Amino acid sequence: MDMKKVVAFKVLLVLALTIATTGCKKSSSSKNSSRATGWQINSREGGFQYNTDFKEQETSPGLVFVEGGTFTKGRVQDDVMHDWNNTPNQQHVQSFYMDETEVTNAMYMEYLDWIKRVYPPSDENFRAIYHGALPDTLVWRNRLGYNEVMTENYLRHPGYGEYPVVGVSWIQAVEFANWRSDRVNEYNLEKAGFLKRDAKIVDVNPESTFSTDTYVAAPSLTYGGNEEVINPERGNKRFARTDADGNETNIYATRETGLITPKYRLPTETEWEYAALGLSEIRSYNLYRGRKKYPWDGQYTRNGSRKFRGDQLANFKQGKGDYGGIAGWSDDGADITNAVKSYEPNDFGLYDMAGNVAEWVADVYRPIVDDEFNDFNYYRGNVYTKNAISEDGSVKVVTVDDIVYDTLSNGKIVARNLPGEILQVPVDENETYLRTNFDKSNQINFRDGDRRSSRNFESFNEDDEANGKKDETRKMYNSPKNVISRDSAGNIVREYDKSNNRSSLINDEVRVYKGGSWKDREYWLDPAQRRYFPQDMATDYIGFRCAMSRVGSKSKEKQKKKN
């Protein structure tokens, strides 16, 4: 064949292959040009601003990743307590993050230090804020036991710094999580150049604080509108743009930047139980279907490996008068709580999901889990709110004069909101009209406590009140209603409910707590076990850990492959 023809043939072949492969490839448009319109994204001259370099959510301080999936929630073994409140049901959980340990005394002391610095208890206006956040150290006292060393030292002494905090009510745990969310986002924005460096220390006062929700909804109102803090001279200009007059706009971080993380919160009961089981490495059919008894493998509480054979795998009460075993060989290493990370983690990397302290979860307690209505991210306790709007159309930010205090059933006063936060109000008909997924703000009683709960209740308290009648015996969960208030002099006034018509200890203010504690027998170490306690009270055996929702991909490994 002629050499020229050979060369021409090769050129045509290469050209044909190039055309063929180009046709199979995706569009080669830049990631900064819109696939919808072709317009440029993140242009300095204007247009849509968006973080096109975002890979995946970074793991926030203290958390570990828990990949979601399906599991059997509840017990499948005999219920010797005859509670019948944890009937097995199949649930699916989205991926989320959870604290690798319980919140420790040192972590909680950092919270108290911040409150004391920003809202000094020496000021009459703020005294209740600090006192309302203090754990109840008197929970250690026992009528026939000497525990004053814990009463005086457990919270503050560095010898207990890495021990789980106790004496914290559910309400206090929620407030800690809210505070933690703001501090982490404040640090992230400061690190990224959207806030003045060290503002979190030198520029904070009662009227000038950082709130994540306020920054998202009205960034110019954070830090009391202090321009020097919220728009530093040498700030992050990546998402800034120029308007028609040459002025810089879009100088604040928005959710589109990917810098603002989801909030720390208490885990739901379903999340906690799923995480405690640690099913990530377990594929055995029986275990997968819900027959795993503890956060670790096997049916026993002692280590079966050759090197550590016989060591206890958790901190719990082993028998009457036996809180740790015989000193030495049989000891579990603790008589009360123990330092976090004293025992091996489960397959998710979570420590003490059985023993040490039981833990608050987000859910309001009900004897049933209504898996017929929902089997995805199950949670009972939704109360939907929205931002309060002022007459001028702006969001209403709480000031010192707007602080609302609640008097709890134990007489303690807690702040319901803090300066710098956006005032929250219940959603109304504007949000619920013609909706099929929710119809009012408070959904706690849905299908278990409201009119739709049972055919056996012809009338409920809500109907009677509408007709000017009050018959508490007709309400499904009519626990005693003790009333506590304060008179004009500030003295506590207690009114005890002595009615004989009460038929339940359950109400909308009791929350689920999970896991066994140093004070519990082995039976309660099963992650499926569930108990409840008033949300405004505390004990020496209930602590908590925080969780955070994951945005984006379900799996970290699949996201890495995609990137």
Side-chain angles (χ1 to χ4, degrees), residues 484-516:
I484 189 165
S485 59
R486 291 181 180 268
D487 60 22
S488 58
N491 300 314
I492 296 178
V493 179
R494 296 181 175 90
E495 298 178 32
Y496 296 95
D497 184 350
K498 298 181 180 180
S499 169
N500 293 323
N501 295 324
R502 301 302 180 187
S503 60
S504 170
L505 292 175
I506 303 171
N507 58 37
D508 293 346
E509 285 78 46
V510 294
R511 300 284 172 166
V512 179
Y513 69 95
K514 300 280 283 183

Side-chain angles (χ1 to χ4, degrees), residues 383-436:
V383 178
Y384 302 116
T385 62
K386 62 180 180 178
N387 296 338
I389 304 298
S390 302
E391 292 182 0
D392 61 0
S394 62
V395 294
K396 184 172 177 54
V397 177
V398 176
T399 65
V400 173
D401 297 330
D402 298 323
I403 302 175
V404 177
Y405 295 95
D406 283 338
T407 302
L408 306 182
S409 62
N410 56 6
K412 201 164 191 174
I413 298 178
V414 297
R416 188 189 303 172
N417 51 25
L418 292 176
E421 298 176 356
I422 297 179
L423 182 66
Q424 295 295 301
V425 296
V427 298
D428 54 27
E429 192 176 273
N430 292 326
E431 287 75 31
T432 62
Y433 181 64
L434 293 183
R435 285 192 177 273
T436 58

